[in-house]
Amino acid sequence: MNRRAARLGCRRRTVLGLALVAGLPRAAAQELREFMLVAFAEPVAGQEAEFNRWYDREHLPAMLAVPGMRSAERWQAAKADTPESRLPREVATYHAFGADWPAIDAGIRARYAEGLLRPSRAFDTATVVSLVYEPLGGALGADEVAGSTPAPRSADGAEIRHYAMFVAIDAVPGREAEFNRWYDEQHLPDVLRIPGFRSARRYRLIDARQPPCRSAQPMPKYLAWFEFDSTNLAGTIAELKRRVHSGITRMSDTLARGGQVYYLLPRQSS
């Protein structure tokens, strides 16, 4: 597999968006910025089936009709891995391109006003957390990192499953330049050397909307989005922590305490 194919293969939700942007006139394409909307929510208790039906068959298609929206993917939190990780377990990621985020957001609001986007009674709107990010550079593929290896096969024939790791973190105040240099040059390659890790990309938070009960818990500024394969999620997490504790994965004192880590599984269509 060539380098470009490996990088896009790990980000298959964004391939359609990149292809559409590539078809625009050069000047127009150069003016577009990329954004990722990450929406967390919960279904109303006892209405999970209706929630999933509405999300897959109504909400995602309607969101993709918003100008600038290019792709969408649903996920479910398989594990929350820090004490601060209290976000809802149902997750949707949207990739969008436009001159700025307020213009895309205005398109979303307009469709709600017109009734083209409609919430479901199975959707617990009081739980919604919407986070908007802009990328800090491109994706890094494991094939670009010396020492990376694919996920090992299980002796018992367990299925290899695809996951994402959502890591929201902050830098120590006054040390952001050092933090970003460590993360880009040291930490991303170190994590991609864990067997099964396929790609990594970093983002910066530009907009966050949370219910009033969460307003005292601001989201961290930075996001790292990793994708990986594993036959045993618990084993992969244990290996990641072993490498951190042993110093194989080198940490930095520019990393602020706290942060939120989630391991996500792609949602199957209902």
Side-chain angles (χ1 to χ4, degrees), residues 79 163 228 230-241 263:
K79 181 175 175 60
Y163 295 90
F228 65 96
S230 176
T231 59
N232 179 355
L233 177 60
T236 297
I237 295 172
E239 175 62 12
L240 188 158
K241 293 180 177 180
Y263 294 91

Side-chain angles (χ1 to χ4, degrees), residues 251-262:
M251 303 305 288
S252 170
D253 61 1
T254 63
L255 177 64
R257 292 183 178 274
Q260 300 192 36
V261 178
Y262 300 87

Side-chain angles (χ1 to χ4, degrees), residues 21 24-35 97-101 104:
V21 170
L24 293 173
R26 182 182 298 272
Q30 289 176 343
E31 294 173 0
L32 296 181
R33 295 166 59 193
E34 182 181 355
F35 304 96
F97 292 82
D100 58 27
W101 176 253
I104 298 170

Side-chain angles (χ1 to χ4, degrees), residues 181-195:
R181 185 167 54 251
W182 162 75
Y183 217 105
D184 290 338
E185 299 176 5
Q186 184 70 60
H187 193 61
L188 292 186
D190 278 352
V191 174
L192 288 177
R193 292 187 182 99
I194 298 170

Side-chain angles (χ1 to χ4, degrees), residues 15 39 54 88 92 154 158 183 206 217 229 255 265:
V15 172
W54 164 79
S154 171
Y183 217 105
I206 62 170
Q217 301 173 317
D229 297 326
L255 177 64
L265 264 172

Side-chain angles (χ1 to χ4, degrees), residues 101-163:
W101 176 253
I104 298 170
D105 187 48
I108 297 173
R109 291 173 179 269
R111 275 161 172 71
Y112 272 111
E114 296 164 5
L116 300 175
L117 273 168
R118 294 174 299 211
S120 166
R121 286 179 296 179
F123 181 58
D124 188 349
T125 56
T127 65
V128 176
V129 175
S130 296
L131 308 172
V132 181
Y133 296 92
E134 60 180 358
L136 297 173
L140 179 65
D143 66 317
E144 300 174 81
V145 177
S148 63
T149 58
R153 295 200 172 272
S154 171
D156 62 4
E159 176 188 5
I160 293 179
R161 305 187 73 178
H162 186 68
Y163 295 90

Side-chain angles (χ1 to χ4, degrees), residues 3-267:
R3 177 174 296 182
R4 176 174 170 77
R7 292 172 77 172
L8 292 182
C10 294
R11 296 185 292 131
R12 58 191 179 279
R13 271 77 54 195
T14 65
V15 172
L16 176 59
L18 293 174
L20 289 171
V21 170
L24 293 173
R26 182 182 298 272
Q30 289 176 343
E31 294 173 0
L32 296 181
R33 295 166 59 193
E34 182 181 355
F35 304 96
M36 180 169 71
L37 166 63
V38 185
F40 295 80
E42 296 282 2
V44 172
Q47 297 190 43
E48 290 81 4
E50 172 57 21
F51 172 84
N52 288 317
R53 187 207 64 77
W54 164 79
Y55 222 120
D56 291 339
R57 302 182 190 180
E58 297 183 32
H59 191 62
L60 290 189
M63 282 290 289
L64 288 175
V66 174
M69 285 291 177
R70 293 294 186 259
S71 64
E73 176 83 353
R74 288 190 65 201
W75 306 79
Q76 184 176 42
K79 181 175 175 60
D81 206 42
T82 58
E84 295 81 8
S85 301
R86 302 188 189 96
L87 291 172
R89 67 183 185 277
E90 295 291 341
V91 186
T93 54
Y94 303 88
H95 290 269
F97 292 82
D100 58 27
W101 176 253
I104 298 170
D105 187 48
I108 297 173
R109 291 173 179 269
R111 275 161 172 71
Y112 272 111
E114 296 164 5
L116 300 175
L117 273 168
R118 294 174 299 211
S120 166
R121 286 179 296 179
F123 181 58
D124 188 349
T125 56
T127 65
V128 176
V129 175
S130 296
L131 308 172
V132 181
Y133 296 92
E134 60 180 358
L136 297 173
L140 179 65
D143 66 317
E144 300 174 81
V145 177
S148 63
T149 58
R153 295 200 172 272
S154 171
D156 62 4
E159 176 188 5
I160 293 179
R161 305 187 73 178
H162 186 68
Y163 295 90
M165 182 170 71
F166 173 104
V167 184
I169 46 175
D170 276 319
V172 170
R175 302 185 67 185
E176 286 197 48
E178 291 178 77
F179 167 83
N180 286 316
R181 185 167 54 251
W182 162 75
Y183 217 105
D184 290 338
E185 299 176 5
Q186 184 70 60
H187 193 61
L188 292 186
D190 278 352
V191 174
L192 288 177
R193 292 187 182 99
I194 298 170
F197 273 74
R198 297 171 54 185
S199 69
R201 196 173 190 189
R202 295 188 64 214
Y203 296 85
R204 176 174 51 232
L205 184 69
I206 62 170
D207 187 43
R209 298 176 187 176
Q210 305 185 69
C213 62
R214 290 187 51 87
S215 59
Q217 301 173 317
M219 286 297 297
K221 178 179 179 179
Y222 293 103
L223 170 69
W225 181 276
F226 298 90
E227 298 202 17
F228 65 96
D229 297 326
S230 176
T231 59
N232 179 355
L233 177 60
T236 297
I237 295 172
E239 175 62 12
L240 188 158
K241 293 180 177 180
R242 183 191 72 80
R243 289 176 178 239
V244 169
H245 294 153
S246 68
I248 296 173
T249 295
R250 288 156 283 188
M251 303 305 288
S252 170
D253 61 1
T254 63
L255 177 64
R257 292 183 178 274
Q260 300 192 36
V261 178
Y262 300 87
Y263 294 91
L264 310 175
L265 264 172
R267 257 286 189 192

